[in-house]
Every structure is written in C-alpha cells, then in structure tokens.
Amino acid sequence: MTHVLKRAGLGVAAAVAWAGLMAGLAGCTGQGGLDLGIGGISGKSSGETIRVTPDDRAKDVAPDGRLEVSVDSGRLERVRVRKIEDAQPAEVPGVLSADGRRWRPGPGTRLALAAKYAVDVVALDGHGRRSARHTTFTTRIPEHRFIGYFKPENRSTVGTGMIVSFDFSRPIRDRAAVERAIRVTARPPVEVVGHWFGKERLDFRPREYWKPGTEVTVDLRLRDVQAAPGVYGIQDKSVAFTVGRSQVSLVDAEEHTMEVRRDGGLLARLPITAGAPRTTTYNGKMVVSELYDVTRMNGATVGFTDKEGKGEYDIKDVPHAMRLTTSGTFLHGNYWAPRDTFGSANVSHGCVGLRDVKGGSPDTPAGWFFDRTLVGDVVEVVNSRDRKVAPDNGLGGWNMDWRQWKAGSALR
C-alpha cells in the first residue's frame, strides 16, 4: 500500500502524504471543533525520517533552486514531484541515487515561475515498513504580479458537491475586478456565483449541487487585471471539468452509521466511529478534497505532544484517508480499534473512521468506500455534539444558504 493521492477523473493520479493516530487517540478534530490530529501532511514534525527541500509551504522558491528528497537509511520507494492547481499540471522528472536514498531532478530541469508544486514520497525502512511525506511549495512570482491557484484539476471528473476555489498569491484589494475576470459557466446552464472568504480566497458554486453530467468551464482573464495598487494578474487561460454521478453520504454520529447514497438510491449502510465525547466531529456538509491511499497522522504537528515535545501519537500508515476539511477532518480507514468499535462507539479526535486492516484492503468497508469516492463527493455529519463546520473550512460553502452565499460576491 502506498501513499497515493487519488484525483477524480484522471484515472488514478498519484501523490503521496501521511498523517497519524493511535487507538483511543484516533481522529482529527478536538472539543468544540478545534482541530487537533491531522499532522504530517502539512507542517514539520520532530524526528521526520524523510527530508524534503524546499521546506513544506515554502514560498518564493527560485526555479533553479535546490530540490531534493532524501532518507538516512532504508530507501525511497517512490518520489513524485508535480505542478498542481494549474491548467497544465506537469511532472518533474528525477533521478534516484544508486543506494536509493536520494532523489534529485534530472539534469537541466527548471521549475516554472509562479507555480505550485507537490512533493509526494514513500520510503521503506530496513524492516520493510512504509512511511511517507507530502509537502508543497510555490515558486517565485514576478514582482507586482499575482496568481490564483485553483481547484479542481483541469479535465477532472468530480462529485456533484465540487466547489471551484481560488487561493490568490497576494491580498486582493479590488475584489470586484478580480471576480469579474473569472467566469464559471455550465452546460446545461445554471447560475454560478462567487463568494469571498477574506482577501485571498474566492469560491464559486451553484445554488444546489451540480447535476450529474454537467460540463463546467472556468475562464480566467486575469492578465493585467489590477488587484491592488501596482499589482496585476498574469493568467489568461480556460480550464474545464465534468461532474460525475451523485454520491452523498450521511454520517449519523449517534447511530454510528454512514449511509452512502448513489444517485439518490441507498448503496450501503456502513458502521463507523466518530469523535469521542471530548473531541467531537463537526456537523454539516463537507466535501472530499483529497484522497490518500495511505497517510501519516502525527500529533506533534498539531500540538499533541508529551513533556519532551514528542508527538503523543504518530502512525505512519493510516489507510484510505479522504480529506473533508482544511483544518484536518478526515474520513479514513482504522485498523487499530477493535472490530466491535465500529457501529457502537465514538473514539476519535474528530475524524470519521471506517474499519480497515493494516496496509489497507479493497475488501474492508474503508477500502470499499475509498474505491467508490471522487473528489467533490459530499459527506454530511448529523447528530454530533459539535458546531457546524465553517463554510471556509475546506469546501464547506454548502453550509451557507443561497442568500448568504450571494451576499459574499463583490458583484452584488
């Protein structure tokens, strides 16, 4: 089992990332919705066995700067570096050293300016145990320019809950000018409206979930659009995606079940474990934004540390992980809790757990659900003793009614 990020519509597009949990400490969000347990995917942790340069979330990286992945022992099983959130995603070719401990780009490789890259790594130690790491960084943007990194991927097939989301590289002062320069259209036609979350994020959605089969086009005409005094856009391109079948899953935290509905019909009713009484799961509608075959969950990256500063938990092989919020709520496979936990008790720090086995299996509830999930599918949680997830936490905009959503447009 590898740490592979499964992208909608492009078959299986790989990317690596891991995160951590322990039996009794499993989960991702804490009391009152405070996220506590999804480290490792972003941020540093003490004792990291896989070293990546540039650092995670580094900005202004030179296109010809140092790019390297290494381990002190064992070997690198897989390294993938790719440009993401762009109209033309691209792989960065690389060379593995003879001992399998170091990866570097191929000779003459130069990264693109104003681009976002993901680095995804799987490594094996001397005992054949896997660990992984996922980092991102952005390259240098020309002075006085801005760019919008966006979801979903170009030419992807997504679930009906997909929200088009832009994160801008600089604060936007003239939000109306920028929003006016981005046009989201659908076939068959449907009204699509933008909503600003602060000065650097703009999301677009229709009034209701997209209809299956809808073809969506996003036209970016940001080149030379002035976003702030002396700051201009550089993008002039079109991207498109297709809406696949409808799949909406309802998690009942009190009943410890998840009903999976495909195109309105009940596909399955699966036993789950949700957030424990002191570390409950958010209520509300959440949208799958990333899928990982295997991910690492490390408490040190989110404040769960012991007196020595080490993570209270660090499991490197959490299988079948599906991200639901930016802050760290996942729906994932759980192999460490007793089998009778699922369907009877809530034991996590806020994640939703499905029964799985170590290494992951397509024959477990978690593997079955993972193999039938697209980026853009909706997972709604009810009957949890927590607040509703914030609309800007992940692709949570469906938790706002249409009036509220439209009020967040700079063009209204």
Side-chain angles (χ1 to χ4, degrees), residues 190-254:
V190 62
E191 182 183 13
V192 182
V193 175
H195 184 102
W196 286 88
F197 295 106
K199 297 180 180 180
E200 298 180 15
R201 177 173 167 182
L202 172 62
D203 286 7
F204 290 86
R205 51 156 274 211
R207 181 169 188 162
E208 299 174 341
Y209 299 149
W210 304 98
K211 291 183 178 179
T214 299
E215 297 178 351
V216 182
T217 301
V218 183
D219 292 306
L220 288 78
R221 300 294 176 253
L222 292 171
R223 180 172 295 169
D224 297 329
V225 171
Q226 185 171 239
V231 178
Y232 298 88
I234 59 177
Q235 292 165 299
D236 188 0
K237 59 186 68 176
S238 294
V239 298
F241 62 91
T242 301
V243 180
R245 79 292 175 276
S246 169
Q247 182 168 296
V248 178
S249 301
L250 183 68
V251 172
D252 190 321
E254 283 189 353

Side-chain angles (χ1 to χ4, degrees), residues 141-326:
I141 298 172
E143 190 175 5
H144 307 307
R145 293 289 182 170
F146 79 93
I147 189 171
Y149 304 108
F150 56 85
K151 299 179 181 66
E153 288 186 351
N154 188 29
R155 300 181 181 177
S156 59
T157 298
V158 301
T160 54
M162 190 69 217
I163 291 176
V164 180
S165 184
F166 286 85
D167 286 305
F168 297 104
S169 60
R170 302 184 192 277
I172 306 300
R173 290 271 296 274
D174 192 343
R175 295 188 297 178
V178 170
E179 185 176 345
R180 193 177 294 114
I182 300 174
R183 186 169 178 241
V184 182
T185 56
R187 190 174 60 182
V190 62
E191 182 183 13
V192 182
V193 175
H195 184 102
W196 286 88
F197 295 106
K199 297 180 180 180
E200 298 180 15
R201 177 173 167 182
L202 172 62
D203 286 7
F204 290 86
R205 51 156 274 211
R207 181 169 188 162
E208 299 174 341
Y209 299 149
W210 304 98
K211 291 183 178 179
T214 299
E215 297 178 351
V216 182
T217 301
V218 183
D219 292 306
L220 288 78
R221 300 294 176 253
L222 292 171
R223 180 172 295 169
D224 297 329
V225 171
Q226 185 171 239
V231 178
Y232 298 88
I234 59 177
Q235 292 165 299
D236 188 0
K237 59 186 68 176
S238 294
V239 298
F241 62 91
T242 301
V243 180
R245 79 292 175 276
S246 169
Q247 182 168 296
V248 178
S249 301
L250 183 68
V251 172
D252 190 321
E254 283 189 353
E255 296 294 325
H256 316 295
T257 60
M258 180 173 71
E259 291 186 347
V260 183
R261 294 190 177 274
R262 175 76 62 86
D263 296 321
L266 183 63
L267 193 63
R269 192 169 188 264
L270 304 175
I272 60 95
T273 181
R278 294 182 60 187
T279 53
T280 47
T281 304
Y282 287 125
N283 285 294
K285 298 172 182 175
M286 293 168 262
V287 176
V288 175
S289 59
E290 298 171 350
L291 297 97
Y292 298 94
D293 279 359
V294 181
T295 195
R296 177 182 178 185
M297 295 185 178
N298 185 349
T301 64
V302 287
F304 270 109
T305 57
D306 58 22
K307 294 180 179 179
E308 298 178 352
K310 296 181 179 180
E312 292 181 0
Y313 53 86
D314 185 2
I315 290 186
K316 301 177 181 180
D317 59 348
V318 179
H320 297 130
M322 294 152 273
R323 181 183 286 277
L324 300 180
T325 69
T326 304

Side-chain angles (χ1 to χ4, degrees), residues 37 65 70 101 292 402:
S70 64
R101 294 182 181 178
Y292 298 94
W402 190 231

